[in-house]
Amino acid sequence: MFVMVMASGISSNLLYDFAFPSHWMRVCSYIMFGIACAIFIVLQIYVFVHAYYSIKKDSFKVYFKRYYAGVTYGPFWGAYPMGLATIINYISFLANNEAAGTGNAKRLIVLAYALWWYDQLISLLTAWGVSFLIWQKYDFDKNDISPHVTPNQKSAAETLKSVLLLGVIPLVVASSSLGGFTMSPIFIKYFGRHIQLLNIFVCALSLFHALIFVFFIITIYIWSLYVNKIPPMGQVFSMFLILGPLGQGSYSFLLIGENVEKYTHLYYRPGHPYYNELLVEIIPWCFKIIFLLLVLALVSLGYFFTFLCFISILSYSKTKDATGPKVKRIYTFHKGWLGMTFPMGTMSLANKEIYVIYNNYVPVKTFRYIGAIYGGVCICWTIICLTLTLLQSIIKPVYFRYSKWKETEENTSTEKSLESSNDIQESCQDDFTRLV
């Protein structure tokens, strides 16, 4: 459910700071941010209400086992901290721009920082806790499988999917979220040097830990592609999830490199006991060059998986799924479409940031255009998905119920009119009988 928050949240971030910025896009970002916050609040209330009634009906143990312990629902809780991270990013934008120079700037940046620690805690619980629960037991009963299939074979065929990344990616997203405002002017004004240094180290630790974890999962997923082939038509959009850690990891590396440079220039000035003009210039650039190489490696892999995802979708262009009451095609909308939005947005952020940081030294405008393409696809696809979700989940059921009610009313009125006509006919017959 929180995938809708991720989609609308990342779109608001992209609209606010697009590769080719404009005023109307920033205005549109306000609307998209409002939609993201509204969806987040509604879903947060729904989760609490659903948990309350589920626990009341069964027990906490049954609820926990059903929605946390297993591949079916467990990894999808990663969408919650990722959606919240996009909201935190936007709050930091407002603190450093619209609210700058006012009393609200401090409140907004403190709110963003407090929410980030909460987001980081949830990300760790998702990455570590849900992963442990998945590793602890099989997600099915061993007695229910065929005697010719071992539990290992069933698990390898059904559970080694890209959705496993959803539990780990929040750590990468949290890293880039904190890196986005750690050395911003407002944060520097209200938070001390030691907190800034702590944030840089926390960003780096979270990022490296998550990326190593992610590459283990990607390796297993590629093995699954060789063995089990590409996912079926209803799950093919889940392949886009691999772009998430690649794009967001690249973006986080770039932000950490920038933060190291800002921190060094801010605190190691002439007169400092450890000041050395050569080291002050060399150390930040060592980080920036090494991180640029890592970013190019991640982004290039992202280009490959982008091609793989789209070609996989096109391979189902003539496929029909007649298992349900209606024939489904690859263009039939389902909730899996939302899996394409956030990963494309992260690739846009990474490519745009390469241009922003390095274009002053070498001409890399191509990355700006690539970022604009990824961002445009993300925003347009988000609007399409939100519109179709609204149509399918709210408008269509309401219209269906209204049609049923209207049909019932018409049938009732028809029956009443028939009854009244029968009464009139019987009355006329009685009068005729009396006359005779």
Side-chain angles (χ1 to χ4, degrees):
M1 295 184 295
F2 286 96
V3 178
M4 291 187 290
V5 183
M6 292 168 55
S8 52
I10 192 73
S11 296
S12 67
N13 295 167
L14 292 172
L15 285 167
Y16 190 91
D17 191 19
F18 198 68
F20 294 91
S22 63
H23 177 70
W24 70 268
M25 281 189 170
R26 182 159 291 193
V27 173
C28 291
S29 75
Y30 301 149
I31 300 171
M32 192 65 77
F33 176 66
I35 294 172
C37 292
I39 296 174
F40 181 81
I41 293 170
V42 170
L43 292 179
Q44 184 76 77
I45 295 171
Y46 173 79
V47 166
F48 286 133
V49 173
H50 178 265
Y52 172 76
Y53 282 104
S54 297
I55 294 170
K56 186 178 180 181
K57 180 182 178 181
D58 299 315
S59 65
F60 177 77
K61 184 177 180 181
V62 173
Y63 172 78
F64 184 83
K65 184 177 180 181
R66 182 183 301 165
Y67 292 105
Y68 291 91
V71 182
T72 307
Y73 296 106
F76 290 95
W77 287 106
Y80 175 78
M82 285 192 281
L84 179 58
T86 61
I87 295 174
I88 294 171
N89 293 342
Y90 202 93
I91 293 173
S92 68
F93 291 160
L94 295 176
N96 283 283
N97 295 283
E98 280 79 359
T102 66
N104 293 324
K106 182 179 180 180
R107 299 187 188 96
L108 287 173
I109 201 66
V110 170
L111 174 63
Y113 192 46
L115 285 175
W116 182 86
W117 279 108
Y118 168 73
D119 186 78
Q120 178 73 358
L121 176 62
I122 301 298
S123 300
L124 286 172
L125 289 174
T126 306
W128 295 356
V130 173
S131 296
F132 171 75
L133 294 173
I134 293 173
W135 297 340
Q136 188 181 24
K137 294 180 181 179
Y138 286 109
D139 199 25
F140 51 83
D141 190 349
K142 295 181 182 180
N143 298 322
D144 294 339
I145 63 176
S146 170
H148 303 290
V149 179
T150 64
N152 292 342
Q153 291 173 334
K154 182 177 176 62
S155 180
E158 298 180 2
T159 62
L160 299 182
K161 301 176 181 178
S162 58
V163 294
L164 294 173
L165 290 168
L166 282 174
V168 186
I169 299 176
L171 288 174
V172 186
V173 178
S175 172
S176 63
S177 178
L178 182 61
F181 63 83
T182 289
M183 296 303 296
S184 64
I186 297 297
F187 195 87
I188 293 172
K189 182 178 179 180
Y190 295 110
F191 291 90
R193 171 183 178 179
H194 297 295
I195 293 179
Q196 296 161 21
L197 185 61
L198 170 67
N199 290 349
I200 293 173
F201 274 100
V202 170
C203 284
L205 288 171
S206 180
L207 176 62
F208 282 111
H209 160 60
L211 281 183
I212 293 171
F213 199 166
V214 159
F215 273 102
F216 288 148
I217 298 175
I218 291 178
T219 303
I220 295 170
Y221 181 69
I222 292 176
W223 172 85
S224 179
L225 289 177
Y226 278 109
V227 175
N228 302 316
K229 309 309 174 185
I230 63 174
M233 186 175 70
Q235 303 174 13
V236 70
F237 281 93
S238 65
M239 296 181 68
F240 281 99
L241 295 177
I242 299 179
L243 296 179
L246 300 177
Q248 201 72 44
S250 302
Y251 184 56
S252 188
F253 273 127
L254 293 168
L255 293 178
I256 292 174
E258 277 291 283
N259 289 336
V260 169
E261 182 179 33
K262 291 178 181 178
Y263 182 88
T264 305
H265 290 165
L266 181 62
Y267 295 108
Y268 292 89
R269 297 177 177 179
H272 191 277
Y274 297 106
Y275 173 77
N276 185 303
E277 185 176 359
L278 185 62
L279 291 179
V280 167
E281 294 298 329
I282 289 177
I283 291 176
W285 271 104
C286 287
F287 279 94
K288 294 179 74 170
I289 292 173
I290 293 172
F291 285 169
L292 176 62
L293 296 176
L294 294 173
V295 166
L296 293 177
L298 294 175
V299 167
S300 63
L301 191 59
Y303 298 153
F304 163 68
F305 277 108
T306 302
F307 166 79
L308 183 64
C309 294
F310 279 108
I311 203 69
S312 299
I313 292 172
L314 291 175
S315 67
Y316 285 112
S317 59
K318 297 182 179 179
T319 304
K320 297 181 180 180
D321 182 7
T323 54
K326 294 183 180 180
V327 177
K328 296 179 181 179
R329 302 292 296 270
I330 189 63
Y331 48 79
T332 302
F333 176 73
H334 55 87
K335 61 184 180 181
W337 281 29
L338 286 161
M340 177 180 171
T341 53
F342 189 82
M344 297 291 282
T346 63
M347 288 294 292
S348 174
L349 290 173
N351 282 277
K352 187 212 72 174
E353 199 65 20
I354 293 174
Y355 163 78
V356 170
I357 294 175
Y358 296 98
N359 191 65
N360 293 329
Y361 310 102
V362 288
V364 286
K365 291 184 179 179
T366 304
F367 289 102
R368 187 184 190 186
Y369 289 97
I370 295 174
I373 293 170
Y374 274 107
V377 171
C378 172
I379 295 166
C380 293
W381 200 252
T382 297
I383 295 172
I384 291 171
C385 289
L386 291 178
T387 304
L388 292 177
T389 300
L390 179 67
L391 180 66
Q392 194 177 73
S393 303
I394 299 177
I395 297 177
K396 192 174 179 181
V398 170
Y399 177 76
F400 178 76
R401 291 182 181 180
Y402 172 75
S403 301
K404 283 288 185 182
W405 173 80
K406 191 174 181 181
E407 184 180 347
T408 304
E409 288 291 318
E410 289 176 354
N411 292 336
T412 304
S413 62
T414 303
E415 290 175 1
K416 287 181 179 180
S417 63
L418 288 173
E419 288 176 1
S420 66
S421 64
N422 290 335
D423 292 340
I424 294 172
Q425 186 176 1
E426 290 175 0
S427 175
C428 291
Q429 288 177 353
D430 292 341
D431 292 341
F432 180 75
T433 303
R434 292 192 195 96
L435 181 62
V436 171

